[in-house]
Structures are given as C-alpha cells and as structure tokens.
Amino acid sequence: KNQVEQSPQSLIILEGKNCTLQCNYTVSPFSNLRWYKQDTGRGPVSLTIMTFSENTKSNGRYTATLDADTKQSSLHITASQLSDSASYICVVSKDDYKLSFGAGTTVTVRA
Amino acid sequence: TAGITQAPTSQILAAGRSMTLRCTQDMRHNAMYWYRQDLGLGLRLIHYSNTAGTTGKGEVPDGYSVSRANTDDFPLTLASAVPSQTSVYFCASSDKGDTDTQYFGPGTRLTVL
C-alpha cells in the first residue's frame, strides 16, 4: 500500500477559480513534506518543502499546509491560470535520500 | 547552466538487449538519484548516490545498476532489458540530503519490446 495517498486523482477547474488538493500519508517517522509540479513530458519541479514544525508555506499562488498530527497536507492554488494545468505530486521524506511519492493529482484549467 | 541533462530522450529497445541511460548535472550536487515513473503510480527510487564513489539501492533496484565515478555523471544500466522495464526514467540531484530540494532532469522514455 502506498504510504502517500493523494486526492482527487484529477480535477477540472475554470481559469481564475481556486482549488485544493489533498495528501494523506502514513510515513513515519516524518522528516519533511514536499509538493512538486510536473508538466506533461517534463520532470517534476519543486513548489514547497515543509518540515514537521511548519504548518504553512507559500510560493506565489501556491500555498501548502501541513498537519503533522493528522498526517495530512493540502496544496491550495489561488486564481488558477492555464499554466497551472499539470500533475501535482506530494512527496514525504522519512530519512535521507529516500522519498515516498504520491501518484499525483492531475489538474486541468480551462478557459 | 543546463542543470540536469538526460540522454536519450526516448528509446525503443528489444528485450534482452542492454542499455545505459545517461545523466549529467552541472550544479556540483553531492547526491543523485534514478527514479522510474509508471502510469498511476508515484515515482519509485531505483538507485541513489550520496556522493561520488558511493551508491545505494532504492525501492526497485532489480535489473538495474549504477555507478558514480565522478560528481557530475550518474549512468543507469539495464543489463538485459525486459518489457516490465518500459517506463519513463528520471534522474535527479540535490546538494545535500533530506531537507534539500531535488532537481529533476527531463526524463527518458524507454519502451522494451
């Protein structure tokens, strides 16, 4: 069973609208949690990274939250743009060099 | 700077043949990684290297080997390819380990027939 579960699997939103992606994890002990954006045909690009002591981190219109007690994270996209169409991947780190990746949420932004 | 480059971009390979996927980074990062990405699954770590001269096994190492002769290069070799190795392969690097961001290459799409 994957230690990092993401929901929804995919979603479609209209340009300018907001959306929130969810990530639940069972990785323990927990070191840090990252969100990556992966455009079609490209490698993932880091958006945010949070340690267990941080509960929110922003990167422009992307805001990640973390609740280490419930082992949940969310990624909020504000005022979506067409360029936000991508897969968003939640990654949880247990120890050095070994990360657990979620399967990703595919976001499609339509004009 | 180029960051991380991978070659080839894509390849079709006959089962049983060998192949080396190339990965080069120009950021002088200590750690490098190889992942495979399959539809519906998260990226899975194949092998990693903390520093030049050392390597370690990841989650799915069987059928793959790596070497790290210097800081910049981290080739991945399939000695005898099988159809289940059809995947997209990503190389990544990071300066340190756990709290550091990993930077990914553009990927190599491999099809084994």
Side-chain angles (χ1 to χ4, degrees), chain B residues 35-86:
Chain B
Y35 295 91
R36 60 177 290 172
Q37 186 175 39
D38 301 293
L39 192 64
L41 300 177
L43 278 84
R44 291 181 291 170
L45 182 65
I46 303 171
H47 285 286
Y48 65 94
S49 169
N50 298 348
T51 64
T54 70
T55 62
K57 293 182 179 181
E59 181 184 355
V60 287
D62 295 342
Y64 307 95
S65 63
V66 293
S67 62
R68 186 89 182 276
N70 57 61
T71 297
D72 299 342
D73 301 301
F74 191 42
L76 176 73
T77 298
L78 289 69
S80 179
V82 295
S84 62
Q85 292 179 307
T86 294

Side-chain angles (χ1 to χ4, degrees), chain B residues 6-18:
Chain B
Q6 293 184 234
T9 301
S10 64
Q11 181 74 45
I12 298 174
L13 187 67
R17 301 296 295 269
S18 66

